[in-house]
Amino acid sequence: MASYENRYWWSRDGVRLHARDYAPRDAAKAAGRPPILCLPGLTRNARDYDAVAARLSAEWRVLAVNLRGRGESGYAKDPMTYVPLTYVQDVEALLTEIGADRYVAFGTSLGGIVTMLLAGAAHEQLVGALLNDVGPDIDPAGLARIRGYVGRSHTWPTWMHAARAVAEANADTYPDYAIGDWLAMAKRLYRVNAAGRIVLDYDMKIAEPFRVPGNEAGPDMWRALDRLKGLPVAIVRGAASDILPETTAARMLAELPGATLTTVPRTGHAPTLAEPEAAAAIDALLARIAEQAGG
């Protein structure tokens, strides 16, 4: 795992937020290039991007964000702020904190929704985007599945118990995983609490607004997607995704001339972005962005 600096900043409503800030190992190569902001899914955190950041931070500055209520970010006093429009404001505060006038956004699932909304909120700053297994329309079957587990607390006595539980819940998503993969996934999803138990690493109250239909995204996500026109955009989709249907992905390509679509085989929701197919899509996207940046 690449080294990183813990970066903290404050939201408008007083929540202390956190990101892992991976400095480029080749500063000369990274000079002039915009930072990459990595935004995780609903119940996930910055650790999901460890492998991506380790690979890309050779030549890019990478910030893996913990959305409010996840990882090392503080929990919100008002659970109804656990919505995409608030996450957009939190990310904008980070951009101000680091003085970034340009940036690239990678968004997985909820993070992709935030990315699309950011395109509308600060169109001039966003210079490229990766949308990982999410689009303006979300498959109702996938939403129902997520609503069925989000906010349900589980604790385990050991990491191996947690890994086996993760394997049971996600076997269809990653059918080729071995026990080592499940253990690594458990350590991204869970943390050790003060009592020594293995617990999910997010505020269970994030489920409260998500269970209200319409709160999982913005008011008009196709309009938000439209703001990505003219930018380098990569869309990644799990072949067995129950969140991003093939029909929605095809429409996204039609709406965004020049965008690319990569389907990761034998994977559901969502690809980790460490798969060879996803890594190649990322490299192609960043090559386009680097060319525009002049290096």
Side-chain angles (χ1 to χ4, degrees), residues 159-174:
W159 282 112
M160 192 56 68
H161 283 87
R164 288 173 178 150
V166 170
E168 183 176 343
N170 295 276
D172 292 340
T173 302
Y174 307 108

Side-chain angles (χ1 to χ4, degrees), residues 43-260:
T43 63
R44 311 301 286 261
N45 57 68
R47 296 191 293 277
D48 265 0
Y49 285 100
D50 277 348
V52 171
R55 190 172 72 86
L56 298 183
S57 60
E59 299 180 355
W60 297 80
R61 181 184 183 185
V62 179
L63 293 106
V65 175
N66 278 310
L67 299 175
R68 60 174 56 206
R70 286 84 163 174
E72 287 77 30
S73 282
Y75 290 10
K77 292 181 180 178
D78 179 4
M80 297 311 290
T81 64
Y82 289 131
V83 293
L85 291 177
T86 305
Y87 302 140
V88 168
Q89 293 174 356
D90 292 347
V91 173
E92 289 176 329
L94 171 60
L95 293 170
T96 300
E97 175 76 17
I98 66 174
D101 58 356
R102 300 177 306 136
Y103 69 98
V104 181
F106 288 7
T108 295
S109 196
L110 169 62
I113 290 170
V114 174
T115 296
M116 287 183 272
L117 293 172
L118 281 165
H123 180 70
E124 298 79 11
Q125 291 175 271
L126 185 62
V127 298
L130 171 80
L131 302 176
N132 184 20
D133 213 57
V134 70
D137 289 337
I138 301 174
D139 192 316
L143 277 179
R145 175 180 60 80
I146 293 171
R147 287 195 175 104
Y149 72 75
V150 65
R152 294 190 176 183
S153 180
H154 301 280
T155 72
W156 308 104
T158 69
W159 282 112
M160 192 56 68
H161 283 87
R164 288 173 178 150
V166 170
E168 183 176 343
N170 295 276
D172 292 340
T173 302
Y174 307 108
D176 298 326
Y177 270 23
I179 189 60
D181 300 305
W182 295 121
L183 186 59
M185 185 174 176
K187 290 187 176 181
R188 295 194 298 270
L189 282 167
Y190 290 81
R191 62 179 174 83
V192 181
N193 69 7
R197 299 282 295 185
I198 312 298
V199 298
L200 287 164
D201 197 8
Y202 67 86
D203 183 358
M204 295 298 112
K205 292 182 180 179
I206 67 170
E208 294 186 21
F210 186 76
R211 286 174 178 152
V212 179
N215 276 342
E216 64 274 357
D220 187 346
M221 293 307 301
W222 285 105
R223 181 179 296 179
L225 183 80
D226 187 67
R227 298 293 287 172
L228 291 171
K229 280 183 178 176
L231 298 179
V233 176
I235 303 162
V236 175
R237 176 181 177 272
S241 175
D242 63 354
I243 291 293
L244 179 58
E246 289 183 83
T247 52
T248 300
R251 181 180 169 188
M252 292 168 71
L253 279 182
E255 295 284 338
L256 297 175
T260 63

Side-chain angles (χ1 to χ4, degrees), residues 60 127 230-234 257-260 281-295:
W60 297 80
V127 298
L231 298 179
V233 176
T260 63
I282 289 171
D283 290 346
L285 172 70
L286 293 180
R288 293 173 62 190
I289 294 169
E291 183 178 3
Q292 292 181 0

